[in-house]
């Protein structure tokens, strides 16, 4: 099984924290969609022996696409690739694009999962982030969307300056009250060269506080658990049967191709990425060329990647898989390096069958403890084999 990701590099305006590739000019949208179609055709051989189980429209803001453009891309995929019956098809959307008419139109397409970028239900937070929608649009779009889509995930950002613990709890409660079955939630992060980075350096914006983010994360974990969510990946919380199949495929190391400017692809041994420039992307595709760079992953790269993704999930890192895929020396090195973090109560080895009982045998699974979850990425980097 494999997945297809389509990057739609357009936004109405730039969020202060965002470092993804996008353009606020829609002048080349029609031209770019034609090139997405062409790239799908050019790359069909890459997945000729795979069955597509997930399709993901990301960005940028895919909800800026017309229904006709969405359907054109989906028809191109079905024509050129082998697709399972009823694949998971996700469309990222912003509340300001989701009028009742647009939601009804989307519900009549093969799209069966909406990922809505709420970020916060409070006006002051949205303004600090420079979001294109307001608090009223956030709730209004969910009122309509939940009547037409069962599978909805929303994004929420925590660790926002001046966001109290109480306001963070209110954000979560509003989501629960709407009956949302999946939440993706991220700490506000200061990425280099973003507007947020510049404002903080100029003293125009308060710096983020990791201690506040940690408090919000702990609240997030506790409140979602109370409401029946499974914390299946560091930033993702889903009720049973509502986990993101597409994102889970990334974490489990399945193959996928990324279509569009800046999109990444992975085939287990190689990783590639398209040029992050709309004009250069369009020019190359129109000339029948793939505007991508590729790197072969060394055995250490593959090990480190599995470690990074595995520790972020409830499935952890299988010691048996390490030995089988990378060799016994990698397993021994991992156990040696993990020992101090196990002693500190940040990592644990559990029995592979039920993943509840501590076990230090060869068939165990290395996972973060509740204490270590927030530190998962840092722990993984400490365990990398360089």
């Amino acid at each position: 099984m494999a997945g297809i990701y389509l990057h739609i590099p357009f936004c109405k305006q730039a969020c202060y924290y965002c470092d993804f590739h996008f353009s606020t000019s829609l002048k080349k949208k029609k031209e770019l969609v034609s090139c997405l179609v062409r790239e799908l055709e050019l790359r069909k051989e890459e997945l000729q022996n795979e069955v597509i189980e997930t399709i993901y429209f990301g960005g940028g803001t895919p909800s800026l696409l017309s229904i006709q453009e969405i359907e054109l891309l989906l028809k191109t995929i079905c024509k050129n690739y082998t697709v399972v019956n009823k694949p998971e098809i996700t469309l990222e959307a912003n509340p300001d694009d989701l009028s009742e008419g647009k939601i009804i139109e989307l519900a009549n397409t093969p799209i069966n999962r909406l990922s809505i970028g709420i970020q916060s239900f409070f006006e002051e937070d949205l303004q600090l982030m420079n979001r294109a929608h307001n608090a009223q649009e956030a709730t209004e779009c969910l009122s309509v969307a939940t009547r037409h889509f069962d599978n909805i995930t929303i994004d929420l950002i925590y660790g926002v300056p001046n966001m109290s613990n109480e306001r963070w709890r209110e954000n979560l409660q509003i989501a629960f009250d709407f009956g949302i079955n999946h939440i993706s939630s991220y700490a506000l992060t200061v990425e280099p060269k973003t507007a947020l980075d510049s404002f903080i350096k100029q003293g125009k914006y308060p710096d983020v506080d990791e201690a506040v983010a940690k408090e919000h994360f702990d609240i997030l974990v506790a409140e979602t658990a109370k409401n029946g969510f499974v914390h299946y990946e560091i930033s993702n919380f889903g009720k049973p049967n509502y986990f993101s199949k597409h994102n889970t495929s990334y974490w489990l190391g399945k193959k996928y191709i990324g279509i569009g400017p800046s999109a990444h692809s992975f085939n287990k041994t190689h990783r590639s990425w398209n040029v992050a420039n709309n004009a250069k992307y369009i020019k190359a595709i129109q000339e029948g060329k793939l505007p991508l760079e590729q790197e072969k992953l060394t055995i250490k790269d593959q090990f480190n990647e599995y470690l990074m993704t595995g520790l972020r999930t409830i499935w952890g890192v299988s010691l048996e898989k390490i030995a089988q895929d990378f060799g016994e020396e990698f397993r021994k090195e991992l156990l040696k390096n993990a020992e101090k973090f196990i002693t500190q109560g940040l990592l644990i080895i559990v029995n592979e069958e039920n993943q509840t009982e501590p076990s230090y045998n060869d068939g165990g699974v290395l996972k973060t403890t509740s204490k270590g979850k927030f530190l998962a990425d840092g722990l993984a980097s400490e365990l990398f084999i360089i």
Side-chain angles (χ1 to χ4, degrees), residues 96-307:
D96 46 299
D97 295 325
L98 293 179
S99 64
E100 183 169 8
K102 183 67 174 277
I103 290 170
I104 292 172
E105 284 184 321
L106 289 171
N108 289 322
T109 72
I111 290 166
N112 49 30
R113 184 172 184 268
L114 287 184
S115 176
I116 305 177
I118 299 291
Q119 313 310 351
S120 176
F121 291 102
F122 292 88
E123 202 66 44
E124 52 265 55
D125 300 331
L126 297 172
Q127 290 176 359
L128 275 171
M129 293 183 250
N130 199 40
R131 293 291 294 171
H133 70 279
N134 57 42
Q136 183 177 346
E137 288 171 324
T139 54
E140 286 181 349
C141 82
L142 285 180
S143 296
V144 178
T146 50
R147 296 201 300 269
H148 296 276
F149 284 87
D150 173 56
N151 199 350
I152 293 175
T153 178
I154 67 170
D155 286 351
L156 291 175
I157 291 181
Y158 59 87
V160 178
N162 303 319
M163 179 190 280
S164 65
N165 289 350
E166 185 55 38
R167 190 154 89 223
W168 177 231
R169 284 193 174 91
E170 287 184 55
N171 262 310
L172 293 170
Q173 190 58 52
I174 293 170
F176 301 148
D177 290 345
F178 271 109
I180 299 301
N181 292 313
H182 189 285
I183 295 172
S184 294
S185 192
Y186 310 90
L188 182 65
T189 304
V190 184
E191 300 293 349
K193 299 181 181 180
T194 58
L196 178 60
D197 182 36
S198 176
F199 293 158
I200 290 174
K201 288 176 179 176
Q202 295 172 34
K204 296 179 179 179
Y205 196 101
D207 202 351
V208 297
D209 186 333
E210 189 168 329
V212 171
K214 177 61 166 62
E215 285 186 24
H216 289 180
F217 178 78
D218 290 341
I219 292 170
L220 171 65
V221 171
E223 295 302 316
T224 50
K226 288 179 189 175
N227 285 272
F229 288 78
V230 178
H231 187 190
Y232 70 103
E233 195 269 345
I234 292 300
S235 302
N236 286 272
F237 304 77
K239 291 185 178 178
N241 301 317
Y242 287 94
F243 295 2
S244 167
K245 293 180 181 178
H246 185 83
N247 289 341
T248 297
S249 71
Y250 291 164
W251 304 320
L252 296 182
K254 295 184 180 181
K255 294 181 181 179
Y256 61 89
I257 58 170
I259 303 296
S262 80
H264 284 234
S265 304
F266 173 73
N267 69 0
K268 295 183 180 289
T269 59
H270 292 76
R271 185 172 296 285
S272 63
W273 54 95
N274 284 346
V275 62
N277 181 292
N278 289 1
K280 290 180 179 179
Y281 170 82
I282 290 171
K283 183 176 186 295
I285 294 295
Q286 288 178 339
E287 293 173 353
K289 301 173 184 176
L290 293 177
L292 57 78
E293 293 183 55
Q294 186 180 75
E295 67 171 342
K296 183 175 182 179
L297 300 175
T298 66
I299 192 73
K300 289 182 180 179
D301 291 335
Q302 294 175 50
F303 168 83
N304 291 341
E305 184 150 327
Y306 173 56
L307 196 63

